[in-house]
Amino acid sequence: MRRSLRPIIAFFGILLSAAYPSHAQTLPEEGVATDDAAQAEDVAAPAIPAEDIGLRAFVQTLRPRALAMGISAPLFDSTVPTLAYSARVIRLDRNQPGGSAAQAPSASPDFAPYLQSHVDAERINRGRSRYTGLRPLLGTIEGRTGVPEQVMLAIYGHETGYGTFTGNFDLVNSLATLAYEGRRRELFAGEFLNALLLIQRGVPRSTLKGSWAGATGYPQFLPSVYLRVGMDGNGDGRIDIWNSEPDALASIGNYLRDAGWKPDVPWGVAVRVPDNIDRAALRSPMTSPRCPRVFARHSRFLTIGEWRRQGLMMLGGPVPADDELAALIEPDGPGRTGYLVTTNYRSILDYNCSNFYALSVGLLADAIVN
């Protein structure tokens, strides 16, 4: 006849209770049956989605680059497990014009509806109010960068509604997702690592919020842009484009200066184009490697004086000097208002490669001070 094991089990239970008192109350009561498999299932960690596993495995391949950039191993290693694939980010990316190879190029839409919604009375009036309040600061930044006060303010107004909205996507996660997806892998892998570099340099991850595409702060800079042209606008030794308007506006001015802005040259001017102008003869012979469809709408460059001799009539001001080069763009087609745009217009295009964006920035800037 076999001896009962209960006394032995009870004895070891006492030993376990003494050794690990914090767990003593969790031991099953005598006579209560337990199911070890069920208990294990209750405490098992939830399964990690396959997309997250793939994303984290991809990001792990970037570790040598991260360390070479000066990102610490603890920061990198602690970040990887927090990353999760964002289907929403990918959906938004693919819904952009040109986001899918299956999307056929569409005819260029008219500029007028865009202008009406982006250079409206509310944005102009708010811009004028902010201009009055920020005037001494803006003048100082213009002196440092050569970029007109109103142009910096107009970009601020277009990008974030003068600081009222900046996006709430976790930048680190969005950039990792876009890099993993692979359509523009090198671009977004680099921006992901630059976002970690910002954290390494003291910017909290909780501050790095922005658009799904990785733009952050009042100027909506990518991390690499912040690192390249961020400027301290209030002299406190920090560059805080998320909370400091002086830093944000100085950084916008520095961006445009870096993109080739020429001081004391207007961005462009509205014009009336004569019906009999030979547009074929004015077509640009150049093809831009960057944003070719945007630049294809620009004529070749002539001086303002030469454009006057072509019969163009200036409809506003300020008008560039007669020897200043400018290209013609007719965003609503022949017979509607056209614009002669200088090389400074192309600096705005460098900020956002869209004719509608650049024209609306220039026109908003003019409206703020007129």
Side-chain angles (χ1 to χ4, degrees):
M1 188 174 182
R2 292 184 300 175
R3 296 175 59 189
S4 172
L5 295 177
R6 284 186 181 276
I8 299 173
I9 292 174
F11 174 73
F12 278 104
I14 293 169
L15 292 179
L16 286 170
S17 298
Y20 304 100
S22 62
H23 296 285
Q25 65 273 26
T26 66
L27 294 174
E29 294 180 2
E30 186 175 333
V32 177
T34 63
D35 186 336
D36 291 342
Q39 287 183 340
E41 184 177 348
D42 287 342
V43 300
I48 301 174
E51 293 91 344
D52 294 358
I53 295 173
L55 169 64
R56 295 172 191 177
F58 163 73
V59 169
Q60 194 64 41
T61 68
L62 303 176
R63 193 175 189 273
R65 286 176 61 182
L67 301 185
M69 291 172 61
I71 298 163
S72 72
L75 171 59
F76 186 90
D77 295 340
S78 64
T79 300
V80 173
T82 70
L83 300 175
Y85 179 86
S86 174
R88 184 184 176 202
V89 165
I90 298 304
R91 187 165 58 250
L92 289 167
D93 181 48
R94 291 177 179 173
N95 284 342
Q96 293 300 294
S100 168
Q103 292 177 325
S106 58
S108 297
D110 286 346
F111 174 53
Y114 184 96
L115 176 64
Q116 187 174 16
S117 63
H118 287 75
V119 190
D120 56 340
E122 180 182 0
R123 203 173 306 219
I124 293 170
N125 290 334
R126 289 182 61 198
R128 288 172 176 168
S129 174
R130 299 314 313 280
Y131 182 64
T132 299
L134 293 167
R135 190 70 194 278
L137 166 70
L138 288 166
T140 299
I141 297 171
E142 180 173 346
R144 294 172 65 186
T145 65
V147 178
E149 305 166 317
Q150 63 271 24
V151 172
M152 293 181 281
L153 194 59
I155 287 179
Y156 184 30
H158 272 291
E159 292 294 337
T160 57
Y162 307 103
T164 59
F165 54 86
T166 56
N168 58 8
F169 284 84
D170 179 316
L171 221 66
V172 170
N173 202 73
S174 293
L175 291 168
T177 295
L178 289 164
Y180 172 60
E181 187 264 353
R183 190 164 65 88
R184 289 170 289 174
R185 172 159 290 176
E186 186 54 34
L187 167 66
F188 288 117
E191 295 299 343
F192 167 76
L193 293 174
N194 281 318
L196 292 187
L197 191 58
L198 292 185
I199 297 173
Q200 181 74 36
R201 295 184 180 182
V203 180
R205 181 170 174 177
S206 59
T207 296
L208 290 177
K209 304 291 185 183
S211 75
W212 60 266
T216 188
Y218 292 151
Q220 290 291 279
F221 282 171
L222 290 171
S224 64
V225 175
Y226 169 89
L227 290 167
R228 179 167 56 88
V229 300
M231 179 182 280
D232 178 9
N234 57 12
D236 67 354
R238 300 170 59 243
I239 303 173
D240 183 358
I241 62 170
W242 301 272
N243 303 291
S244 167
E245 285 186 323
D247 289 3
L249 290 163
S251 297
I252 291 170
N254 198 36
Y255 183 102
L256 294 174
R257 178 176 64 176
D258 187 69
W261 190 278
K262 291 172 61 177
D264 304 318
V265 175
W267 66 270
V269 62
V271 294
R272 181 177 295 122
V273 184
D275 294 335
N276 62 351
I277 196 167
D278 186 353
R279 290 179 174 82
L282 295 171
R283 188 173 296 119
S284 174
M286 309 294 290
T287 300
S288 172
R290 178 175 179 264
C291 311
R293 291 180 62 196
V294 171
F295 286 95
R297 303 190 73 179
H298 299 192
S299 75
R300 62 190 177 92
F301 278 99
L302 298 176
T303 66
I304 293 294
E306 288 171 326
W307 284 116
R308 289 186 193 275
R309 291 191 285 277
Q310 290 278 343
L312 273 69
M313 181 181 296
M314 311 297 154
L315 298 180
V319 178
D322 270 8
D323 62 352
E324 195 67 46
L325 289 170
L328 174 66
I329 178 171
E330 297 178 275
D332 292 306
R336 309 282 290 279
T337 299
Y339 300 89
L340 288 178
V341 294
T342 68
T343 56
N344 282 345
Y345 175 85
R346 297 197 170 197
S347 297
I348 303 174
L349 282 179
D350 194 83
Y351 204 103
N352 185 331
C353 201
S354 158
N355 283 310
F356 286 8
Y357 177 88
L359 285 170
S360 61
V361 163
L363 292 168
L364 177 60
D366 290 347
I368 286 172
V369 295
N370 292 326

